[in-house]
Amino acid sequence: MNCGDLKMGQVLHCEKCGFELEVVKECGDVSCATDTCCSGNVMCCGEPMKLK
């Protein structure tokens, strides 16, 4: 799941350690159009984080 796909209020979690990230502000179309978004998976413990 990359940053450009995340919506406000969604929570990513790490299945290994339980760490969680909540989206409090979407990156929006403007920053993604200029390639400033992350372009790969959000990682923790060497694995992609998943939506909770």
Side-chain angles (χ1 to χ4, degrees):
M1 171 96 12
N2 84 37
C3 300
D5 298 328
L6 296 169
K7 303 295 179 202
M8 188 166 61
Q10 288 184 308
V11 176
L12 288 173
H13 76 280
C14 176
E15 293 182 332
K16 283 191 173 186
C17 72
F19 178 70
E20 295 183 349
L21 293 172
E22 181 178 357
V23 178
V24 295
K25 183 178 179 185
E26 296 175 29
C27 69
D29 294 334
V30 174
S31 44
C32 286
T34 60
D35 294 325
T36 57
C37 285
C38 61
S39 58
N41 288 318
V42 179
M43 306 286 285
C44 186
C45 295
E47 295 184 0
M49 294 181 77
K50 298 187 179 183
L51 284 174
K52 186 171 182 181

